[in-house]
Amino acid sequence: MTTVSAPYGTWHSPVDAALAASHDGHPEYLGSVGEEVWWTAPRPAEGGRRTLVRRRADGPELSVLPAPWHARSRVMGYGGTPWAAVPRPARGPLAVFVHFADQRLYAFEPDAPEGAAPRPLTPVSRVGGGLRWADLQIHPERGEVWGVLEESTGEGPGDVRRVIAAVPLDGSAAGDRAAVRELTDARHDFVTGPRLSPDGRRAVWIAWDHPRMPWDGTVVMLADITAEGVFTAVRPVAGGTGESVPQAEWAPDGSLLFVSDHSGWWQLQRIDPDAVGGGAVPRTTLCDRQEEFAGPLWKLGHRWFAPLPDGLIAVTHGRGAAVLGILDPHTGELADVPGPWTEWEPTLAVDGTRVRGVAASPRSGHEVVELDARTGHARVIGSPHTDPVDPAYYPEPRVRTFTGPDGREIHAHIHPPHHPDHTAPEGELPPYVVRAHGGPTSRAPLVLDLEIAYFTSRGIGVAEVNYGGSTGHGRAYRNRLHGQWGVVDVEDCAAVARALADEGTADRARLAIRGGSAGGWTAAVSLTTTGLYACGTISYPILDLTAWATGGTHDFESRYTESLVGPPAEVPERYRERSPIHRADRIRAPFLLLQGLEDTICPPEQCERFLEVIAGRGIPHAYLTFEGEGHGFRRSDTMIRALEAELSLYTQTFGIPRTDVPALDLKT
């Protein structure tokens, strides 16, 4: 086939915005229900809802919940495991799920006679955001489902309490808040769902308090359980203000397993709960590697490890990535799972010797994978990847480490322009978009992303920067952002962009910055400080630190800036100096602002105030808002419009002639 020479950015590609939108999202919150495997799955074309999918043993995938049922929790803004199910001989499974629209718990029997609808288990509250639930566990022997209850006590975002609570499965609490049995008090600002010991006599969970985030410091709580199901003798057994424990589970022998970053890395540890007393509890590190065996607890119910009945432990681990391995806790030996998957999500489930998870790679999307720990054989059992276009159009990423200010390391994924049938004229350098991930305590995984392919297959490179503060490289790397948000992240993105230009990989005059949420903050700050980028795309961003930290966001992140920036009362000038809304006069580059109108984490009010400051300054810009969208876009029509608008911004700014996307109306 003849290769066509055409300028970067003009290449024609079968990866259109509709295709990228249709493949957005992936299986999540996976669990074993007897021999079946269940998970939630995205439906972008159905208003962005998530359905509940079941796969029978060696059978087909079936959607458990028809539209408009939507299994998604709002707890802590980002949610958590929104369902639980148990098998019942001869009757089929019983499922309980959170319906997104009203956040009530519903019971559902998918094998019941046709027409049996979900029935409510919890009441509606008219106070604030009402009653919200996540991280569920059904206990049929007690006739209850346990989970985290987040309850509004007023109309403000901080008027909220969180407890572990039990809900009757018979529906008696559907109209009676008093029938919801609280298992803990509200002494802690945040809690995860409890895990019962093998003998049912104890429960363990994780708690933490403002101003700490769960990756700063958490406490592992232990309680005895009476025959009546009451928690007693509640006491801490691990963790602390400077130690992050994102997951705790029981081993089959009754010992307690948890992941702690006490060493500077999230590592798997074990304690004997019977040794808990007045002093320090002896702990054993099960695999002493300088790798991460967990990640940031953004959503309740994430599982980075899962004990097997024979004492082995399925674990995700790695540096800058998370692969699946089987750990022998007695020898410390770790055997990784064979196969093409290079990134495993924090959602593991076990059924006997079978381990189920969600995994992807740079050449394949997220799939549901099952490992037989006895044989070492792994296979795809759900949501199988199929190539929607010729894989020749996929990006060919490179994992790189750059040098930033003061010689510090910066980790990034570089996706050069790539097309099987196109090359650029000799001597031309490509435009590049620098992507700052959200969080900011998170990272960009190296997996197939058709949104990236949308740009690279058209001749626009993409650089994903895991700037200082990102996870995957230990606590010291994560803590680089302490007090330095808006500095280190901006410097690291700029260092990667400059390095690409200096080495002749990217066109220095055609660099763009983009990001969403915390990445939107980084993109906006970059436009006000660096003078490096020709344009930027800013999605659902933080633009005013002071407003965001004083009641302008949800409770979970309301004091996040105390570690990222500093206590507002002590460094108020820092909040003002770094906020793009107070630096808007320094912006010289065109930008695109994208915002969901139902966003409670980064409300549209900040964008509106920012635009008022920009008005009349002669800076080309566009502001697109989307009804029915919250923090992060989930509807296919929204994603199509946003992606095409972003491409139009780049083609107009970089002088790339394209007529196959709607022109973005840039106002001044």
Side-chain angles (χ1 to χ4, degrees):
M1 183 177 291
T2 302
T3 299
V4 177
S5 177
Y8 286 116
T10 66
W11 303 346
H12 295 285
S13 170
V15 185
D16 61 15
L19 183 67
S22 68
H23 286 74
D24 189 78
H26 57 76
E28 197 173 12
Y29 303 120
L30 180 143
S32 294
V33 184
E35 293 187 345
E36 298 185 0
V37 188
W38 292 35
W39 63 88
T40 67
R43 295 291 185 263
E46 299 178 23
R49 82 179 183 99
R50 292 193 72 90
T51 189
L52 191 54
V53 171
R54 67 189 290 196
R55 180 192 180 278
R56 300 178 188 272
D58 296 316
E61 275 179 41
L62 302 171
S63 178
V64 175
L65 294 175
W69 297 105
H70 183 356
R72 182 176 156 218
S73 167
R74 293 181 185 265
V75 166
M76 297 189 342
Y78 297 101
T81 306
W83 70 275
V86 291
R88 298 178 303 175
R91 300 178 59 191
L94 169 67
V96 175
F97 69 95
V98 180
H99 180 43
F100 184 70
D102 59 15
Q103 290 297 287
R104 299 174 80 183
L105 290 183
Y106 287 81
F108 185 47
E109 300 174 74
D111 293 345
E114 188 173 351
R119 53 184 176 84
L121 297 181
T122 55
V124 173
S125 171
R126 304 299 178 187
V127 179
L131 306 179
R132 299 171 293 276
W133 300 87
D135 209 359
L136 308 175
Q137 297 280 322
I138 297 177
H139 299 291
E141 74 284 357
R142 300 179 185 274
E144 295 176 325
V145 55
W146 292 7
V148 174
L149 165 60
E150 182 178 79
E151 181 174 23
S152 291
T153 58
E155 297 301 324
D159 297 328
V160 64
R161 63 191 294 270
R162 297 177 187 87
V163 297
I164 297 172
V167 176
L169 291 171
D170 62 9
S172 57
D176 182 9
R177 170 63 180 83
V180 174
R181 189 168 65 91
E182 297 191 6
L183 301 173
T184 63
D185 56 28
R187 74 180 72 177
H188 291 292
D189 294 324
F190 303 94
V191 293
T192 64
R195 301 293 184 262
L196 283 186
S197 60
D199 60 11
R201 297 189 300 108
R202 288 171 172 156
V204 66
W205 67 96
I206 296 167
W208 70 98
D209 297 294
H210 284 309
R212 289 177 296 281
M213 300 300 286
W215 41 86
D216 296 324
T218 59
V219 179
V220 180
M221 304 297 295
L222 183 68
D224 297 332
I225 304 176
T226 68
E228 294 76 26
V230 176
F231 284 18
T232 64
V234 177
R235 65 275 194 194
V237 296
T241 57
E243 179 183 358
S244 169
V245 179
Q247 182 186 349
E249 304 278 350
W250 296 96
D253 64 3
S255 61
L256 187 57
L257 304 174
F258 60 95
V259 180
S260 164
D261 70 350
H262 180 73
S263 69
W265 298 85
W266 274 309
Q267 295 179 327
L268 194 59
Q269 301 188 335
R270 177 175 58 204
I271 64 173
D272 179 358
D274 292 325
V276 174
V281 182
R283 59 173 75 179
T284 302
T285 299
L286 301 184
C287 188
D288 192 8
R289 294 189 184 188
Q290 290 193 339
E291 297 181 3
E292 300 284 40
F293 286 77
L297 188 63
W298 279 102
K299 299 178 180 181
L300 299 184
H302 274 174
R303 297 187 81 197
W304 293 270
F305 72 89
L308 278 69
D310 61 3
L312 299 177
I313 307 171
V315 296
T316 63
H317 69 100
R319 280 194 178 202
V323 297
L324 180 67
I326 300 297
L327 173 66
D328 184 332
H330 301 291
T331 66
E333 293 181 1
L334 182 56
D336 287 342
V337 173
W341 309 284
T342 57
E343 189 74 50
W344 289 73
E345 291 293 307
T347 178
L348 298 178
V350 168
D351 174 33
T353 61
R354 292 176 292 182
V355 180
R356 285 87 177 247
V358 175
S361 79
R363 306 293 292 177
S364 61
H366 290 84
E367 305 173 294
V368 178
V369 180
E370 179 180 83
L371 166 72
D372 188 328
R374 293 174 303 177
T375 65
H377 176 67
R379 61 180 182 134
V380 175
I381 62 169
S383 189
H385 171 80
T386 56
D387 291 313
V389 295
D390 187 334
Y393 292 94
Y394 292 167
E396 295 187 346
R398 304 166 187 169
V399 179
R400 295 189 55 185
T401 301
F402 295 84
T403 301
D406 303 321
R408 65 180 182 249
E409 288 187 346
I410 306 168
H411 302 282
H413 305 149
I414 307 303
H415 306 263
H418 176 73
H419 193 294
D421 305 322
H422 281 296
T423 60
E426 185 176 354
E428 183 185 358
L429 294 178
Y432 257 82
V433 179
V434 176
R435 286 171 53 132
H437 64 72
T441 309
S442 185
R443 65 182 175 89
L446 187 57
V447 298
L448 178 61
D449 185 340
L450 291 185
E451 187 176 292
I452 292 177
Y454 179 77
F455 292 105
T456 57
S457 61
R458 284 168 170 75
I460 299 174
V462 175
E464 295 182 292
V465 182
N466 283 314
Y467 48 79
S470 300
T471 55
H473 301 280
R475 184 159 185 143
Y477 193 88
R478 200 165 78 234
N479 285 352
R480 284 185 190 176
L481 214 55
H482 279 192
Q484 297 296 309
W485 195 34
V487 179
V488 165
D489 50 325
V490 172
E491 290 177 347
D492 286 3
C493 287
V496 171
R498 290 192 180 100
L500 293 174
D502 289 346
E503 69 187 29
T505 296
D507 184 346
R508 189 180 303 273
R510 295 192 292 174
L511 297 172
I513 182 80
R514 65 99 68 197
S517 188
W521 153 269
T522 301
V525 175
S526 296
L527 292 180
T528 66
T529 59
T530 66
L532 178 63
Y533 304 101
C535 61
T537 300
I538 306 166
S539 303
Y540 35 92
I542 300 158
L543 298 169
D544 183 352
L545 283 177
T546 302
W548 199 72
T550 55
T553 188
H554 62 151
D555 182 61
F556 175 53
E557 293 179 273
S558 61
R559 299 182 67 180
Y560 194 5
T561 57
E562 292 195 25
S563 62
L564 293 173
V565 183
E570 297 177 15
V571 290
E573 71 289 344
R574 192 181 295 172
Y575 278 68
R576 181 176 179 84
E577 289 171 0
R578 293 188 190 172
S579 294
I581 200 166
H582 298 302
R583 290 176 163 183
D585 60 320
R586 305 182 189 182
I587 294 182
R588 299 291 183 268
F591 66 88
L592 168 63
L593 197 55
L594 303 169
Q595 180 67 49
L597 294 178
E598 294 183 9
D599 192 340
T600 59
I601 296 169
C602 294
E605 177 267 343
Q606 290 218 356
C607 289
E608 294 159 4
R609 289 175 48 226
F610 181 75
L611 292 173
E612 290 175 2
V613 178
I614 286 290
R617 296 185 180 273
I619 306 301
H621 66 275
Y623 180 44
L624 303 183
T625 60
F626 301 97
E627 295 278 358
E629 292 283 14
H631 198 66
F633 301 147
R634 292 174 173 82
R635 298 170 181 257
S636 57
D637 55 342
T638 299
M639 291 184 281
I640 292 169
R641 179 73 178 104
L643 200 54
E644 291 181 339
E646 184 176 351
L647 177 60
S648 181
L649 171 70
Y650 302 150
T651 58
Q652 292 184 55
T653 304
F654 298 153
I656 299 171
R658 291 198 78 101
T659 59
D660 57 347
V661 292
L664 181 66
D665 183 13
L666 294 171
K667 303 180 184 300
T668 56

